[in-house]
Amino acid sequence: MKKKIALLGSTGSIGTQTCDVVAHQSDKFEIIALACGHDSELFREQVRTFSPKYTYTADKPDGMKLSDLATLDEVDIVVIATPGHSPLEAAINASLTGKILALANKEALVSAGELINKNCKASGSVIHPIDSEHSAIWQCLAGEEEISRIILTASGGPFRKTPKEDLKKVTPEMALKHPSWQMGPKVTIDSSTLMNKGLEVIEAYRLFGTALDQIEVLVHPQSIIHSMVEFVDGAIKAQMGLPDMRLPIQYALSYPHRLANPILKSMNLKDLTTLEFEQPDTDKFPCLDLARKAARLGSTYPTALCAADEIAVQAFLDKKIEYLDIPVLINQGLEHNKPVQSLSAEIIRNTDIETKEYVAGLIK
Ligand SMILES: NC(=O)c1ccc[n+]([C@@H]2O[C@H](COP(=O)([O-])OP(=O)(O)OC[C@H]3O[C@@H](n4cnc5c(N)ncnc54)[C@H](OP(=O)(O)O)[C@@H]3O)[C@@H](O)[C@H]2O)c1
């Protein structure tokens, strides 16, 4: 029986690579629902190729919501690959249905991880991470229990070697040039500020149940080791591979099986001359510490972190603020936030809206 997939964010970087994987594994998987932001030629071409039963575009919703596609009875796997908080409701609702959540989006888990994990436990839903670092950790953890620390690797982004004082001159065009990965604009800017790594620390905390201080970040500019796990006896497992998101995407779809696929190239180890590691510079890139601060404070702070970041990154892309304003605005969003006793989907939604309005007001 083919596994039936709902693909949210089909025209983006993860979405198109998911289509590529499915097109090469058409005896195993079938896309029955496709969703994206705007009706475009690419989307229409995907509809012609995969003939999905259901389609959705955010600009012309046509009655159905994104969340409706994610919760369709006939869907086995929901690939969640829309940016920022856009799939929040879809992820929360899908986690109530017993389906597999193949999760590329980080913000939903960062903001609503407590709720999503609780829902998964009750419904039998499971999360299969697509993010390359979390897929790597997931692969390293197979059959293991006694973890001492998780080591998330980071490329360091395009400004790893840029002096701190030169960061004020960074333009969106400069920040959109990621050294290792081709990704959508939001995640690319987040990678350059290291907010992406901060979100990934919280994502790992939600996914793997370790303490926050057991999750370390190490800059590894070659992006060959996708992350590592150290165990209590000092052994370290690392998952390596060429920087190609189609591997973690396919693994999230095929788990626990591995599938041969001609589009996935083997890595020639003789080509690896150097594997470097260095500590991240959190003075130059304060977003990493802001994310840790939000995670430590818990409650609605991770939601406020994501909401403030989303507004700040868009304002930077729209050239309304400067690069160095991004962490300042995120910190102001966190300072403005108030904790609550217990989290619910409604509280998360309200925190998202309220923080976005507050940070947008600071920009005006
Ligand atoms: N790209 C990567 O290598 C990578 C790696 C790890 C994790 N991720 C995560 O995966 C997610 C997607 O990243 P990406 O790089 O693929 O982003 P992207 O290239 O910007 O693509 C985003 C996709 O989501 C659609 N979309 C945007 N807003 C939507 C909405 N409100 N409703 C429905 N669809 C909407 C877009 O459609 P339109 O184009 O029509 O607007 C597009 O199809 C992000 O959360 C990112 O952090 C990405």
Side-chain angles (χ1 to χ4, degrees):
M1 278 272 281
K2 290 188 196 183
K3 288 262 176 358
K4 295 191 170 60
I5 295 173
L7 173 54
L8 316 185
S10 64
T11 53
S13 161
I14 295 291
T16 50
Q17 294 181 85
T18 305
C19 289
D20 199 13
V21 167
V22 170
H24 286 84
Q25 302 288 3
S26 54
D27 56 330
K28 304 257 181 334
F29 308 111
E30 180 185 1
I31 290 177
I32 65 156
L34 278 176
C36 72
H38 310 90
D39 189 13
S40 61
E41 184 43 42
L42 174 59
F43 187 66
R44 286 192 287 272
E45 189 187 316
Q46 290 178 336
V47 170
R48 285 193 292 275
T49 306
F50 295 102
S51 309
K53 264 172 90 174
Y54 308 90
T55 59
Y56 166 93
T57 59
D59 62 344
K60 293 184 208 143
D62 202 20
M64 271 190 133
K65 291 193 294 188
L66 196 60
S67 176
D68 296 330
L69 265 68
T71 53
L72 289 163
D73 277 348
E74 58 221 276
V75 165
D76 302 302
I77 306 176
V78 189
V79 178
I80 303 181
T82 66
H85 268 159
S86 61
L88 200 55
E89 195 177 336
I92 294 173
N93 290 344
S95 68
L96 289 164
T97 59
K99 300 185 195 309
I100 294 169
L101 275 63
L103 198 61
N105 174 281
K106 300 157 215 272
E107 289 87 343
L109 202 58
V110 169
S111 284
E114 240 180 84
L115 192 64
I116 290 175
N117 281 338
K118 200 170 92 188
N119 290 347
C120 284
K121 216 166 177 179
S123 73
S125 275
V126 282
I127 299 173
H128 291 179
I130 283 182
D131 220 349
S132 59
E133 293 78 0
H134 303 82
S135 177
I137 296 162
W138 186 37
Q139 293 175 58
C140 291
L141 285 176
E144 303 277 6
E145 276 175 10
E146 293 85 5
I147 312 170
S148 69
R149 61 184 173 132
I150 283 175
I151 305 158
L152 278 170
T153 53
S155 72
F159 310 122
R160 184 170 66 92
K161 296 203 161 165
T162 307
K164 189 180 171 190
E165 55 278 13
D166 289 353
L167 289 182
K168 57 177 175 298
K169 297 181 219 144
V170 167
T171 62
E173 293 73 20
M174 290 155 77
L176 285 169
K177 281 192 191 124
H178 193 277
S180 321
W181 301 94
Q182 288 294 320
M183 307 182 288
K186 162 74 169 55
V187 60
T188 307
I189 302 298
D190 280 346
S191 296
S192 78
T193 61
L194 291 200
M195 176 51 87
N196 184 50
K197 216 41 61 177
L199 296 178
E200 286 179 9
V201 168
I202 308 177
E203 196 184 352
Y205 173 61
R206 305 281 199 217
L207 280 170
F208 304 115
T210 51
L212 257 183
D213 58 12
Q214 283 179 294
I215 306 170
E216 286 177 26
V217 172
L218 211 51
V219 173
H220 165 50
Q222 289 77 24
S223 300
I224 291 294
I225 293 184
H226 299 310
S227 278
M228 299 178 258
V229 180
E230 186 184 55
F231 299 93
V232 289
D233 57 1
I236 294 183
K237 278 194 191 175
Q239 190 264 333
M240 300 166 72
L242 295 170
D244 184 341
M245 286 306 296
R246 293 173 302 181
L247 196 154
I249 290 169
Q250 177 172 285
Y251 192 62
L253 301 181
S254 68
Y255 178 84
H257 304 289
R258 290 191 184 270
L259 303 176
N261 191 330
I263 59 173
L264 298 174
K265 300 283 172 260
S266 167
M267 185 171 68
N268 188 346
L269 288 167
K270 284 186 286 202
D271 292 342
L272 294 182
T273 48
T274 356
L275 292 178
E276 297 165 294
F277 302 98
E278 59 192 60
Q279 285 299 321
D281 183 344
T282 51
D283 178 45
K284 195 163 101 178
F285 299 112
C287 286
L288 189 52
D289 282 346
L290 288 175
R292 284 199 186 269
K293 172 175 154 182
R296 268 194 310 274
L297 290 168
S299 183
T300 47
Y301 285 93
T303 311
L305 176 90
C306 295
D309 178 51
E310 206 170 316
I311 295 298
V313 167
Q314 193 55 53
F316 171 67
L317 287 169
D318 295 341
K319 304 195 173 177
K320 290 182 183 157
I321 62 166
E322 294 184 356
Y323 188 68
L324 290 178
D325 294 332
I326 297 175
V328 175
L329 285 167
I330 295 169
N331 194 37
Q332 286 174 302
L334 288 180
E335 295 292 319
H336 174 75
N337 189 55
K338 299 277 174 295
V340 294
Q341 286 291 325
S342 69
L343 283 177
S344 66
E346 195 188 348
I347 286 173
I348 291 166
R349 257 193 310 275
N350 289 343
T351 304
D352 175 46
I353 294 168
E354 208 205 295
T355 310
K356 282 179 174 167
E357 282 175 0
Y358 175 71
V359 175
L362 295 176
I363 294 165
K364 273 184 211 150

